[in-house]
Amino acid sequence: MVLVWNIVAEGIPSQLSSGRASKQNLEEKRKMGCAHLNMPRFMRAIFLMLCAVSILPELTHAKHARVTRHYKFNIKMQNFTRLCQTKSIVTVNGKFPGPRIIAREGDRVVIKVVNHVQYNVSLHWHGVRQLRSGWADGPAYITQCPIQTGQTYVYNFTVTGQRGTLWWHAHISWLRATLYGPIVILPKRHVPYPFTQPFKEVPIVLGEWWNADTETIINQAMQTGLAPNVSDAHTINGLPGPVSGCSAKDTFKLKVKPGKTYLLRLVNAALNDEMFFSIANHTLTVVEADAVYVKPFSTNTVLITPGQTVNVLLKTRSKVPNANFAIATRPYATGPAAFDNATATGFLEYKKSSLSSNKSNTKKLPLLRPAFPKFNDTVFAMNFHNKVRSLANSRFPAKVPKTVDKRFFFTVGLGISQCSKNQQCQGPNNTRVAAAVNNVSFVMPNTALLQAHFFNKSKGVYTTDFPSNPPFKFNYTGTPPKNIFVTSGTKVVVLPFNTSVELVLQDTSIIGAESHPLHLHGYNFFIVGQGNGNFDPKKDPKKFNLVDPAERNTAGVPSGGWVALRFLADNPGVWFMHCHLEVHTSWGLKMAWIVQDGKRRNQKLPPPPYDLPKC
């Protein structure tokens, strides 16, 4: 049974009960046939039993019925004022941040996207597994050509085996600076959370704000070969908070009741900054990361990289305190480049009863602020990430591959590349900053990789010779080699279906050691190990956690360190992997995996939809 509901403008379904319509039908059946029977008692009992048996399968089916949830995303320009300046930004339905998507595990989601702006657009449903629905994944020139001005594309996918918080965002150029919003995946009907049922759930999306046009910023940076300008403010749900006495009204406020538990759904949608998040004088309990439940742990500060999502429980004070509390977020930054060091601030305010409000005076309550780690506190970062562990129980097992078919060792970091003679780059000898994986700076194709792969037309689009290891060995986190030039190309790795993969990502100190949040499309992976310095292939694997490692879709490669991942390549298609610091993606820190079809019908990628955009 598939129920189709319209979605209101805010992106929230008019009802979330997947069984409601079928229960109404059952009630009608009961009234019509099984409730008012004029029969002898024993015959009536038998008849009622038969009625119950006939209805039971429908009850069971109704409980787990798949619902199709329809959304319409109109991409349009809209004026917004922040930091006392008004500018026109790209939005979905005129909203910033964009509308939230709400579904239950197992639901089908259909999103019609209509492009009314001058820019080519594509949208990515970050963290959604896209099982055999790679045509809906969204990265421009990887799984689709972008949606051109005046064109429409319908994204169609099913949420399978996931529940928690994910998010959606533009996946072309720097448009995701304003094109983003949360995805809330609720458990199946009647399935409880494995933690305290919250009184209320609140999405909190962290972002960045530029006074200038972000497309102009990145285009100028690509022309000059230098780093782009940093943002002018950070935001909480699109609001920077009071900055220089200008944005007092543009402040996020969370009003809470005493003695209640709130589920905060945190998303880091910032373009270029990993973020600390904290609420003054309150403890947060982490219960989920990247739409996977984790062993709960308490912390005063959450570290969340761009691309990641974290659900935390906030338990409010038992009585209304005589203070307000700052909700704040500020960057975690480890690299040599400049970054936006601004702190975005919101307010946690306790609701007072009418009786206490009448008795209290009108004096302003003091505002308490949280204490953050240092902006480059790599020790805190390593310790925080080590605390994230899968539940690994019978209900939510950690299906980490115990054996490995293929091993890869990828260096990630910066370097330089030579600019063309007709380009005036401002680096030494007409060079520019570049980023690379295994010394290959990825060149975006003009045709979508997935189409080229599916129709066996890879010639001139991509090659399958991406290196499994760095082209030469050096002290990756020590003194850089003399030659720091990178190569370039559109190279991919091809994996047979059901290949178990171990991937070690190693940061390099070329130009400067830096943390890199790496995101893999189409998959969750298990973080089986991480450490400082250079990865030791003999000693470090002996310490891998194969019992309850964190399962994520985005992992921070430690600054001056390494992280080891494992995943099973059981989803056919073409899957992008890239740094989620957008400046590094623009510079080429990206690559793609091609996972071939399996032998069975349900292991093959279906043909593209009829409305797939053309390049």
Short mmCIF file of all heavy atoms in Angstrom, two decimals, residues 408-462:
data_model
loop_
_atom_site.label_atom_id
_atom_site.label_comp_id
_atom_site.label_asym_id
_atom_site.label_seq_id
_atom_site.Cartn_x
_atom_site.Cartn_y
_atom_site.Cartn_z
N PHE A 408 43.39 0.38 -0.11
CA PHE A 408 43.82 1.61 -0.76
C PHE A 408 44.46 2.53 0.28
O PHE A 408 44.05 2.56 1.43
CB PHE A 408 42.64 2.33 -1.41
CG PHE A 408 41.96 1.54 -2.49
CD1 PHE A 408 40.91 0.67 -2.18
CD2 PHE A 408 42.35 1.65 -3.82
CE1 PHE A 408 40.28 -0.07 -3.17
CE2 PHE A 408 41.72 0.92 -4.81
CZ PHE A 408 40.67 0.05 -4.49
N PHE A 409 45.46 3.27 -0.17
CA PHE A 409 46.12 4.26 0.68
C PHE A 409 46.13 5.58 -0.09
O PHE A 409 46.81 5.71 -1.11
CB PHE A 409 47.55 3.82 1.01
CG PHE A 409 48.29 4.76 1.93
CD1 PHE A 409 48.03 4.77 3.30
CD2 PHE A 409 49.24 5.65 1.43
CE1 PHE A 409 48.71 5.64 4.15
CE2 PHE A 409 49.93 6.52 2.26
CZ PHE A 409 49.66 6.52 3.63
N PHE A 410 45.35 6.56 0.38
CA PHE A 410 45.21 7.84 -0.32
C PHE A 410 45.81 8.96 0.52
O PHE A 410 45.43 9.14 1.69
CB PHE A 410 43.73 8.19 -0.55
CG PHE A 410 43.02 7.34 -1.59
CD1 PHE A 410 41.67 7.55 -1.85
CD2 PHE A 410 43.69 6.36 -2.31
CE1 PHE A 410 40.99 6.80 -2.79
CE2 PHE A 410 43.02 5.60 -3.26
CZ PHE A 410 41.67 5.81 -3.51
N THR A 411 46.71 9.72 -0.05
CA THR A 411 47.14 10.96 0.58
C THR A 411 46.19 12.08 0.15
O THR A 411 45.73 12.12 -0.99
CB THR A 411 48.57 11.34 0.17
OG1 THR A 411 48.65 11.38 -1.27
CG2 THR A 411 49.57 10.34 0.71
N VAL A 412 45.88 12.97 1.09
CA VAL A 412 45.00 14.10 0.78
C VAL A 412 45.67 15.37 1.28
O VAL A 412 46.26 15.39 2.36
CB VAL A 412 43.61 13.95 1.43
CG1 VAL A 412 42.86 12.78 0.83
CG2 VAL A 412 43.70 13.77 2.94
N GLY A 413 45.62 16.41 0.47
CA GLY A 413 46.24 17.66 0.89
C GLY A 413 46.42 18.63 -0.26
O GLY A 413 45.81 18.48 -1.33
N LEU A 414 47.26 19.62 -0.03
CA LEU A 414 47.44 20.71 -0.97
C LEU A 414 48.75 20.58 -1.73
O LEU A 414 49.63 19.81 -1.36
CB LEU A 414 47.39 22.05 -0.24
CG LEU A 414 46.16 22.32 0.62
CD1 LEU A 414 46.26 23.69 1.29
CD2 LEU A 414 44.87 22.22 -0.20
N GLY A 415 48.85 21.34 -2.79
CA GLY A 415 50.06 21.43 -3.60
C GLY A 415 49.91 22.62 -4.51
O GLY A 415 49.14 23.54 -4.23
N ILE A 416 50.65 22.63 -5.61
CA ILE A 416 50.51 23.71 -6.58
C ILE A 416 50.42 23.12 -7.98
O ILE A 416 50.83 21.98 -8.22
CB ILE A 416 51.69 24.71 -6.51
CG1 ILE A 416 53.02 23.99 -6.78
CG2 ILE A 416 51.72 25.43 -5.18
CD1 ILE A 416 54.19 24.96 -6.89
N SER A 417 49.84 23.89 -8.88
CA SER A 417 49.79 23.48 -10.28
C SER A 417 50.12 24.67 -11.16
O SER A 417 49.99 25.84 -10.74
CB SER A 417 48.41 22.92 -10.63
OG SER A 417 47.42 23.93 -10.51
N GLN A 418 50.55 24.38 -12.38
CA GLN A 418 50.95 25.43 -13.32
C GLN A 418 49.72 25.98 -14.04
O GLN A 418 48.88 25.23 -14.53
CB GLN A 418 51.93 24.86 -14.36
CG GLN A 418 52.55 25.90 -15.26
CD GLN A 418 53.50 26.81 -14.53
OE1 GLN A 418 54.41 26.34 -13.86
NE2 GLN A 418 53.30 28.12 -14.65
N CYS A 419 49.60 27.28 -14.08
CA CYS A 419 48.50 27.91 -14.81
C CYS A 419 48.86 28.03 -16.29
O CYS A 419 50.04 28.05 -16.66
CB CYS A 419 48.18 29.28 -14.24
SG CYS A 419 47.53 29.23 -12.55
N SER A 420 47.85 28.11 -17.12
CA SER A 420 48.09 28.24 -18.56
C SER A 420 48.70 29.60 -18.87
O SER A 420 48.61 30.54 -18.07
CB SER A 420 46.78 28.06 -19.33
OG SER A 420 45.84 29.05 -18.94
N LYS A 421 49.31 29.72 -20.05
CA LYS A 421 50.01 30.96 -20.42
C LYS A 421 49.07 32.15 -20.52
O LYS A 421 49.46 33.29 -20.26
CB LYS A 421 50.74 30.75 -21.74
CG LYS A 421 51.90 29.75 -21.65
CD LYS A 421 52.61 29.61 -22.98
CE LYS A 421 53.77 28.61 -22.87
NZ LYS A 421 54.47 28.45 -24.18
N ASN A 422 47.81 31.89 -20.93
CA ASN A 422 46.87 33.01 -21.06
C ASN A 422 46.13 33.31 -19.77
O ASN A 422 45.18 34.09 -19.75
CB ASN A 422 45.87 32.73 -22.19
CG ASN A 422 45.12 31.42 -21.98
OD1 ASN A 422 45.30 30.76 -20.96
ND2 ASN A 422 44.32 31.05 -22.97
N GLN A 423 46.54 32.65 -18.67
CA GLN A 423 45.94 32.91 -17.36
C GLN A 423 46.98 33.56 -16.47
O GLN A 423 48.14 33.14 -16.45
CB GLN A 423 45.44 31.61 -16.73
CG GLN A 423 44.65 31.81 -15.43
CD GLN A 423 44.15 30.49 -14.86
OE1 GLN A 423 44.42 29.43 -15.41
NE2 GLN A 423 43.43 30.56 -13.76
N GLN A 424 46.61 34.59 -15.76
CA GLN A 424 47.55 35.32 -14.91
C GLN A 424 47.32 34.95 -13.45
O GLN A 424 46.63 35.66 -12.72
CB GLN A 424 47.40 36.82 -15.13
CG GLN A 424 47.81 37.26 -16.53
CD GLN A 424 47.72 38.77 -16.72
OE1 GLN A 424 47.11 39.46 -15.91
NE2 GLN A 424 48.36 39.28 -17.76
N CYS A 425 47.90 33.82 -13.04
CA CYS A 425 47.79 33.40 -11.65
C CYS A 425 48.82 34.15 -10.81
O CYS A 425 49.89 34.52 -11.29
CB CYS A 425 48.01 31.90 -11.52
SG CYS A 425 46.69 30.92 -12.29
N GLN A 426 48.50 34.35 -9.55
CA GLN A 426 49.34 35.20 -8.70
C GLN A 426 50.31 34.42 -7.82
O GLN A 426 50.96 34.98 -6.96
CB GLN A 426 48.43 36.09 -7.84
CG GLN A 426 47.59 37.05 -8.68
CD GLN A 426 46.71 37.96 -7.86
OE1 GLN A 426 46.89 38.09 -6.64
NE2 GLN A 426 45.73 38.58 -8.49
N GLY A 427 50.40 33.10 -8.04
CA GLY A 427 51.43 32.34 -7.36
C GLY A 427 52.77 32.49 -8.07
O GLY A 427 52.84 33.02 -9.19
N PRO A 428 53.87 32.03 -7.44
CA PRO A 428 55.20 32.14 -8.06
C PRO A 428 55.23 31.48 -9.43
O PRO A 428 54.72 30.37 -9.61
CB PRO A 428 56.12 31.42 -7.06
CG PRO A 428 55.37 31.46 -5.75
CD PRO A 428 53.91 31.40 -6.11
N ASN A 429 55.80 32.17 -10.42
CA ASN A 429 55.96 31.63 -11.77
C ASN A 429 54.63 31.17 -12.39
O ASN A 429 54.54 30.11 -13.02
CB ASN A 429 56.97 30.47 -11.78
CG ASN A 429 58.33 30.90 -11.29
OD1 ASN A 429 58.83 31.96 -11.66
ND2 ASN A 429 58.94 30.09 -10.43
N ASN A 430 53.59 31.99 -12.16
CA ASN A 430 52.26 31.73 -12.72
C ASN A 430 51.70 30.37 -12.27
O ASN A 430 51.21 29.57 -13.07
CB ASN A 430 52.29 31.80 -14.26
CG ASN A 430 50.89 31.99 -14.84
OD1 ASN A 430 50.03 32.65 -14.25
ND2 ASN A 430 50.65 31.41 -16.01
N THR A 431 51.79 30.13 -10.95
CA THR A 431 51.23 28.90 -10.37
C THR A 431 50.02 29.25 -9.51
O THR A 431 49.75 30.40 -9.20
CB THR A 431 52.28 28.17 -9.51
OG1 THR A 431 52.75 29.06 -8.49
CG2 THR A 431 53.43 27.68 -10.37
N ARG A 432 49.30 28.20 -9.12
CA ARG A 432 48.11 28.34 -8.31
C ARG A 432 48.09 27.27 -7.24
O ARG A 432 48.75 26.23 -7.37
CB ARG A 432 46.85 28.20 -9.17
CG ARG A 432 46.79 26.85 -9.88
CD ARG A 432 45.52 26.65 -10.70
NE ARG A 432 44.35 26.79 -9.87
CZ ARG A 432 43.38 27.66 -10.12
NH1 ARG A 432 43.45 28.44 -11.18
NH2 ARG A 432 42.35 27.73 -9.33
N VAL A 433 47.31 27.51 -6.16
CA VAL A 433 47.10 26.48 -5.15
C VAL A 433 46.19 25.41 -5.74
O VAL A 433 45.20 25.70 -6.42
CB VAL A 433 46.46 27.06 -3.88
CG1 VAL A 433 46.24 25.97 -2.84
CG2 VAL A 433 47.33 28.17 -3.30
N ALA A 434 46.54 24.15 -5.50
CA ALA A 434 45.73 23.03 -5.96
C ALA A 434 45.58 22.05 -4.81
O ALA A 434 46.33 22.09 -3.83
CB ALA A 434 46.36 22.34 -7.17
N ALA A 435 44.58 21.18 -4.90
CA ALA A 435 44.38 20.13 -3.91
C ALA A 435 44.27 18.80 -4.65
O ALA A 435 43.85 18.77 -5.82
CB ALA A 435 43.11 20.39 -3.09
N ALA A 436 44.67 17.73 -3.97
CA ALA A 436 44.76 16.46 -4.69
C ALA A 436 44.57 15.27 -3.77
O ALA A 436 44.77 15.36 -2.55
CB ALA A 436 46.12 16.36 -5.39
N VAL A 437 44.18 14.15 -4.37
CA VAL A 437 44.15 12.84 -3.72
C VAL A 437 45.17 11.98 -4.46
O VAL A 437 45.09 11.82 -5.69
CB VAL A 437 42.75 12.19 -3.80
CG1 VAL A 437 42.74 10.85 -3.08
CG2 VAL A 437 41.69 13.13 -3.24
N ASN A 438 46.14 11.44 -3.71
CA ASN A 438 47.25 10.69 -4.33
C ASN A 438 47.89 11.49 -5.47
O ASN A 438 48.22 10.94 -6.53
CB ASN A 438 46.78 9.31 -4.81
CG ASN A 438 46.90 8.28 -3.70
OD1 ASN A 438 47.39 8.56 -2.61
ND2 ASN A 438 46.43 7.06 -3.98
N ASN A 439 48.04 12.79 -5.23
CA ASN A 439 48.70 13.71 -6.15
C ASN A 439 47.92 13.92 -7.45
O ASN A 439 48.45 14.49 -8.41
CB ASN A 439 50.13 13.25 -6.49
CG ASN A 439 51.05 14.44 -6.73
OD1 ASN A 439 51.11 15.37 -5.93
ND2 ASN A 439 51.77 14.41 -7.85
N VAL A 440 46.66 13.49 -7.51
CA VAL A 440 45.82 13.72 -8.68
C VAL A 440 44.77 14.76 -8.32
O VAL A 440 43.92 14.52 -7.44
CB VAL A 440 45.13 12.43 -9.16
CG1 VAL A 440 44.22 12.74 -10.35
CG2 VAL A 440 46.15 11.37 -9.52
N SER A 441 44.81 15.90 -8.97
CA SER A 441 43.80 16.93 -8.80
C SER A 441 42.70 16.65 -9.82
O SER A 441 42.93 16.64 -11.03
CB SER A 441 44.40 18.32 -9.03
OG SER A 441 43.48 19.33 -8.69
N PHE A 442 41.49 16.39 -9.32
CA PHE A 442 40.40 15.90 -10.16
C PHE A 442 39.87 17.02 -11.07
O PHE A 442 39.62 18.14 -10.64
CB PHE A 442 39.26 15.40 -9.28
CG PHE A 442 38.18 14.65 -10.00
CD1 PHE A 442 38.31 13.31 -10.29
CD2 PHE A 442 37.01 15.31 -10.39
CE1 PHE A 442 37.31 12.62 -10.94
CE2 PHE A 442 36.00 14.63 -11.05
CZ PHE A 442 36.14 13.28 -11.33
N VAL A 443 39.71 16.69 -12.33
CA VAL A 443 39.14 17.62 -13.32
C VAL A 443 37.71 17.20 -13.59
O VAL A 443 37.45 16.06 -14.00
CB VAL A 443 39.96 17.60 -14.62
CG1 VAL A 443 39.32 18.51 -15.67
CG2 VAL A 443 41.40 18.01 -14.35
N MET A 444 36.77 18.12 -13.37
CA MET A 444 35.37 17.80 -13.60
C MET A 444 35.13 17.59 -15.10
O MET A 444 35.57 18.39 -15.93
CB MET A 444 34.47 18.92 -13.08
CG MET A 444 34.52 19.09 -11.58
SD MET A 444 33.90 17.65 -10.66
CE MET A 444 32.15 17.85 -10.87
N PRO A 445 34.40 16.53 -15.46
CA PRO A 445 34.12 16.28 -16.88
C PRO A 445 32.99 17.18 -17.39
O PRO A 445 32.35 17.88 -16.61
CB PRO A 445 33.70 14.81 -16.89
CG PRO A 445 33.06 14.61 -15.55
CD PRO A 445 33.84 15.50 -14.59
N ASN A 446 32.76 17.14 -18.69
CA ASN A 446 31.64 17.88 -19.29
C ASN A 446 30.41 17.01 -19.46
O ASN A 446 29.32 17.52 -19.75
CB ASN A 446 32.05 18.44 -20.66
CG ASN A 446 33.16 19.48 -20.52
OD1 ASN A 446 33.13 20.31 -19.62
ND2 ASN A 446 34.15 19.42 -21.41
N THR A 447 30.58 15.72 -19.27
CA THR A 447 29.48 14.75 -19.31
C THR A 447 29.43 14.04 -17.98
O THR A 447 30.47 13.73 -17.40
CB THR A 447 29.70 13.71 -20.44
OG1 THR A 447 29.81 14.40 -21.69
CG2 THR A 447 28.56 12.71 -20.49
N ALA A 448 28.25 13.77 -17.49
CA ALA A 448 28.12 13.11 -16.19
C ALA A 448 28.75 11.72 -16.25
O ALA A 448 28.50 10.94 -17.17
CB ALA A 448 26.65 13.02 -15.79
N LEU A 449 29.57 11.41 -15.23
CA LEU A 449 30.27 10.12 -15.20
C LEU A 449 29.31 8.94 -15.21
O LEU A 449 29.58 7.92 -15.85
CB LEU A 449 31.15 10.05 -13.95
CG LEU A 449 32.32 11.03 -13.82
CD1 LEU A 449 33.09 10.74 -12.55
CD2 LEU A 449 33.23 10.96 -15.03
N LEU A 450 28.19 9.06 -14.49
CA LEU A 450 27.27 7.93 -14.39
C LEU A 450 26.66 7.60 -15.74
O LEU A 450 26.50 6.42 -16.09
CB LEU A 450 26.16 8.24 -13.37
CG LEU A 450 25.19 7.10 -13.07
CD1 LEU A 450 25.92 5.85 -12.60
CD2 LEU A 450 24.15 7.53 -12.02
N GLN A 451 26.33 8.60 -16.55
CA GLN A 451 25.82 8.34 -17.89
C GLN A 451 26.88 7.68 -18.77
O GLN A 451 26.59 6.73 -19.49
CB GLN A 451 25.36 9.66 -18.52
CG GLN A 451 24.07 10.22 -17.93
CD GLN A 451 23.76 11.60 -18.47
OE1 GLN A 451 24.30 12.60 -17.98
NE2 GLN A 451 22.91 11.67 -19.47
N ALA A 452 28.10 8.22 -18.70
CA ALA A 452 29.18 7.64 -19.50
C ALA A 452 29.42 6.19 -19.11
O ALA A 452 29.63 5.33 -19.98
CB ALA A 452 30.45 8.46 -19.31
N HIS A 453 29.37 5.88 -17.81
CA HIS A 453 29.55 4.52 -17.34
C HIS A 453 28.40 3.62 -17.76
O HIS A 453 28.61 2.52 -18.30
CB HIS A 453 29.70 4.52 -15.81
CG HIS A 453 29.46 3.18 -15.17
ND1 HIS A 453 30.29 2.10 -15.37
CD2 HIS A 453 28.46 2.76 -14.33
CE1 HIS A 453 29.83 1.06 -14.68
NE2 HIS A 453 28.72 1.43 -14.06
N PHE A 454 27.18 4.07 -17.54
CA PHE A 454 26.01 3.23 -17.80
C PHE A 454 25.89 2.87 -19.28
O PHE A 454 25.54 1.74 -19.63
CB PHE A 454 24.74 3.95 -17.33
CG PHE A 454 23.50 3.10 -17.39
CD1 PHE A 454 23.17 2.26 -16.34
CD2 PHE A 454 22.66 3.14 -18.50
CE1 PHE A 454 22.03 1.47 -16.39
CE2 PHE A 454 21.53 2.35 -18.56
CZ PHE A 454 21.21 1.51 -17.50
N PHE A 455 26.22 3.83 -20.16
CA PHE A 455 26.07 3.59 -21.60
C PHE A 455 27.39 3.21 -22.27
O PHE A 455 27.50 3.23 -23.50
CB PHE A 455 25.48 4.84 -22.27
CG PHE A 455 24.06 5.13 -21.85
CD1 PHE A 455 23.79 6.20 -21.01
CD2 PHE A 455 23.01 4.32 -22.26
CE1 PHE A 455 22.48 6.48 -20.61
CE2 PHE A 455 21.71 4.59 -21.86
CZ PHE A 455 21.43 5.66 -21.04
N ASN A 456 28.40 2.85 -21.44
CA ASN A 456 29.70 2.40 -21.95
C ASN A 456 30.32 3.40 -22.92
O ASN A 456 30.81 3.03 -24.00
CB ASN A 456 29.56 1.02 -22.62
CG ASN A 456 29.18 -0.06 -21.63
OD1 ASN A 456 29.74 -0.14 -20.54
ND2 ASN A 456 28.19 -0.88 -22.00
N LYS A 457 30.31 4.68 -22.52
CA LYS A 457 30.88 5.72 -23.35
C LYS A 457 31.90 6.53 -22.54
O LYS A 457 31.83 7.75 -22.46
CB LYS A 457 29.79 6.63 -23.91
CG LYS A 457 28.84 5.93 -24.87
CD LYS A 457 27.80 6.89 -25.44
CE LYS A 457 26.89 6.19 -26.44
NZ LYS A 457 25.86 7.11 -27.00
N SER A 458 32.84 5.81 -21.94
CA SER A 458 33.81 6.47 -21.05
C SER A 458 34.93 7.17 -21.82
O SER A 458 35.60 8.04 -21.26
CB SER A 458 34.42 5.44 -20.10
OG SER A 458 35.13 4.45 -20.83
N LYS A 459 35.15 6.81 -23.08
CA LYS A 459 36.27 7.37 -23.84
C LYS A 459 36.15 8.89 -23.91
O LYS A 459 35.12 9.43 -24.32
CB LYS A 459 36.31 6.78 -25.24
CG LYS A 459 37.55 7.18 -26.02
CD LYS A 459 37.62 6.48 -27.36
CE LYS A 459 38.89 6.87 -28.12
NZ LYS A 459 38.98 6.20 -29.45
N GLY A 460 37.20 9.57 -23.48
CA GLY A 460 37.21 11.02 -23.50
C GLY A 460 36.52 11.65 -22.31
O GLY A 460 36.51 12.88 -22.18
N VAL A 461 35.93 10.82 -21.43
CA VAL A 461 35.23 11.34 -20.25
C VAL A 461 36.03 11.06 -18.99
O VAL A 461 36.28 11.96 -18.18
CB VAL A 461 33.81 10.74 -20.12
CG1 VAL A 461 33.10 11.31 -18.88
CG2 VAL A 461 33.00 11.02 -21.38
N TYR A 462 36.46 9.80 -18.81
CA TYR A 462 37.25 9.44 -17.63
C TYR A 462 38.14 8.26 -17.95
O TYR A 462 37.92 7.53 -18.94
CB TYR A 462 36.36 9.13 -16.43
CG TYR A 462 35.49 7.89 -16.58
CD1 TYR A 462 35.98 6.61 -16.30
CD2 TYR A 462 34.16 7.99 -17.01
CE1 TYR A 462 35.20 5.49 -16.43
CE2 TYR A 462 33.36 6.87 -17.13
CZ TYR A 462 33.88 5.62 -16.85
OH TYR A 462 33.09 4.50 -16.99
#
